[in-house]
Amino acid sequence: MELPDIVKGDESLYRVVKRSRRDCLTRAGQATIALFKDSNGVSVDRDGGRQEVEIIKFIVTESFPKRAKGVTVVLAGCCFDVNAEVTPASSTNNPYHANIFMSDNEKVRKVQALKIADSSKLIYFDEEMEWVDI
């Protein structure tokens, strides 16, 4: 699958919630700043024209087997609205991979991550999978 080299604002971006990252969700299931705060870039999957059920299956069974506790979605446009960059980073194993890059300034990056988290929605949550503490 060959995706365009440019991520458009109407593309959906999917972020995995690993079972070792309890701090990434509130008890109500809303993403926290921790899910989108990484100075090295935040890994996401582009929708690539796929159905949401197919995307979730790919993330849970192919990309993060036995580690995907949840999956969130956010529009790329929300990232652009806070001056974050979304860069395609496809690989042989994952042609849908991309990275969200935010400001080098820690304070600005926190605000960007908070706004992106607030705009995201939890679309998959595995009730059966136990959280693990590392």
Side-chain angles (χ1 to χ4, degrees), residues 99-129:
N99 290 301
I100 302 171
F101 293 103
M102 295 178 229
S103 175
D104 290 335
N105 180 297
E106 176 67 18
K107 287 182 182 182
V108 173
R109 188 169 54 248
K110 282 182 181 179
V111 172
Q112 289 172 312
L114 177 62
K115 288 182 177 180
I116 294 170
D118 285 349
S119 297
S120 72
K121 178 182 173 188
L122 184 67
I123 57 164
Y124 168 83
F125 187 76
D126 186 343
E127 294 281 351
E128 302 295 315
M129 182 179 286

Side-chain angles (χ1 to χ4, degrees), residues 1 14 18 23 30 36 50 52 54-55 59 78:
M1 172 74 181
Y14 296 84
K18 296 175 188 162
D23 63 332
Q30 178 58 43
F36 291 98
R50 300 172 293 166
E52 207 161 75
E54 184 183 347
I55 296 165
I59 291 171
C78 293

